[in-house]
Amino acid sequence: MPLEHLALGRAATDRAALLRSDPGLIDRLLADPATRVLRVGHGRTPVRERDGGLALDLVGPGEVPDDALRVFLGRDADGTGYLAVRAEPGPDWVGLRRLGAVLDDAQVGLLTEAVALLGWHETHTHCPRCGAPTEPVEGGWSRRCPDDGTDHYPRTDPAVIMAVVDADDRILLGRSPAWPEHRYSTLAGFVEPGESLEAAVRREVAEEVGVVVGDVEYLGSQPWPFPASLMIGFRAVATDPTVRVDGVEIADARWFDRAGLRDAVQAGQVVLPSGISIARRLVEHWYGSELDDGPQGW
């Protein structure tokens, strides 16, 4: 059964892409007092309390500085338009990794979209062909070079992430050398040019841990704008479960049965990925239910 309701994959706002070509779109939204504005700085945003939880602290267009970068996020069913603006974060602003699990569908969708799009603008300010500074156009969904007239669009980097299982239905988890000693997760890696997703799954598993994979089954995807990935989740069946870690991408990899993983987590010997991540959902999809984080958390 495929994964559903992944934390950062939820959305309830129409992106209204056909409106982006209107050169007066942003000015018209700024002139409309009903427009709601999401302020984002370095992936963080202000929040307020609502119904015992947290909600985005959306403001009106009158609070948008004249020189702020503005991007169009879409509109909701009653026609209310949404903008995101780049701002300097305050000390109490909160990041998407924390908010992804507590916001409703509409708000988490807006924040995920805004973090991804504004992050792209921050790192793509110049034309890759001639080096000239570029200007945002199309409601902030592209940048145009005034010197050579080329348009440049946001990039998303596809990455495969897989729950590798063997003939005994054990799951393979690995630890990066950069992580703390007990932190383990599913294997993952970027798709290379000219490569299918299934081929990327088999290649990444073989490169990182030496395990040979046969059948590959798609389970779901999740935007991961840290900074610009799309995580594409699979179940991959090992035909040769022999583990030979590469020592570069993976420092250690271990097979777990369900009881063994549960006991290791409870004992603090294994720390699983964050609850908002598709990695955690892949593990729990295999396990058959949610797993208690035990004495530690990612």
Side-chain angles (χ1 to χ4, degrees):
M1 179 177 294
L3 301 174
E4 297 179 342
H5 308 298
L6 290 162
L8 305 187
R10 298 177 288 120
T13 303
D14 178 8
R15 294 195 175 196
L18 294 178
L19 299 180
R20 298 172 190 167
S21 60
D22 178 357
L25 172 65
I26 299 294
D27 288 340
R28 188 165 60 252
L29 289 169
L30 289 172
D32 183 355
T35 297
R36 298 293 87 193
V37 179
L38 172 60
R39 294 162 291 169
V40 176
H42 305 305
R44 294 184 288 153
T45 189
V47 296
R48 57 181 177 83
E49 292 188 5
R50 184 180 70 179
D51 300 329
L54 295 177
L56 299 176
D57 185 17
L58 300 171
V59 297
E63 298 190 41
V64 177
D66 291 339
D67 59 349
L69 172 64
R70 309 126 176 184
V71 299
F72 175 58
L73 299 179
R75 61 185 180 184
D76 60 21
D78 66 7
T80 299
Y82 291 88
L83 294 174
V85 299
R86 186 166 58 200
E88 284 300 314
D92 57 347
W93 288 22
V94 184
L96 179 58
R97 291 177 189 266
R98 177 183 170 193
L99 294 173
V102 299
L103 297 178
D104 63 28
D105 288 1
Q107 294 208 337
V108 76
L110 289 171
L111 183 56
T112 304
E113 180 183 359
V115 168
L117 189 53
L118 289 173
W120 172 75
H121 278 284
E122 289 177 0
T123 57
H124 292 76
T125 57
H126 288 69
C127 176
R129 296 183 62 179
C130 71
T134 54
E135 304 168 345
V137 293
E138 299 280 332
W141 283 89
S142 66
R143 297 186 69 94
R144 181 164 298 154
C145 176
D147 285 6
D148 63 23
T150 56
D151 290 333
H152 307 279
Y153 297 90
R155 297 292 302 271
T156 297
D157 300 320
V160 292
I161 182 166
M162 37 278 177
V164 181
V165 300
D166 68 0
D168 295 322
D169 203 21
R170 299 179 300 170
I171 193 170
L172 181 64
L173 301 180
R175 181 176 65 82
S176 166
W179 293 348
E181 183 178 355
H182 299 297
R183 184 175 293 181
Y184 284 82
S185 183
T186 51
L187 304 181
F190 288 106
V191 180
E192 294 186 342
E195 184 176 45
S196 71
L197 299 177
E198 294 82 358
V201 170
R202 297 185 180 100
R203 175 185 54 77
E204 284 287 344
V205 175
E207 287 178 355
E208 293 185 349
V209 296
V211 170
V212 179
V213 163
D215 291 342
V216 173
E217 176 189 4
Y218 171 76
L219 293 179
S221 65
Q222 179 187 47
W224 195 251
F226 308 111
S229 296
L230 175 65
M231 306 304 296
I232 307 163
F234 294 90
R235 177 180 182 271
V237 180
T239 58
D240 180 354
T242 306
V243 174
R244 297 178 295 275
V245 297
D246 67 355
V248 178
E249 296 290 335
I250 299 295
D252 183 41
R254 298 165 54 190
W255 290 102
F256 294 90
D257 61 22
R258 288 171 178 79
L261 181 60
R262 181 196 62 224
D263 293 346
V265 171
Q266 288 300 307
Q269 298 167 351
V270 168
V271 178
L272 292 175
S274 159
I276 72 164
S277 67
I278 189 174
R280 178 61 168 260
R281 291 292 303 277
L282 286 168
V283 173
E284 293 181 338
H285 180 270
W286 161 83
Y287 186 75
S289 66
E290 293 184 0
L291 275 160
D292 191 311
D293 275 320
Q296 304 181 64
W298 194 311

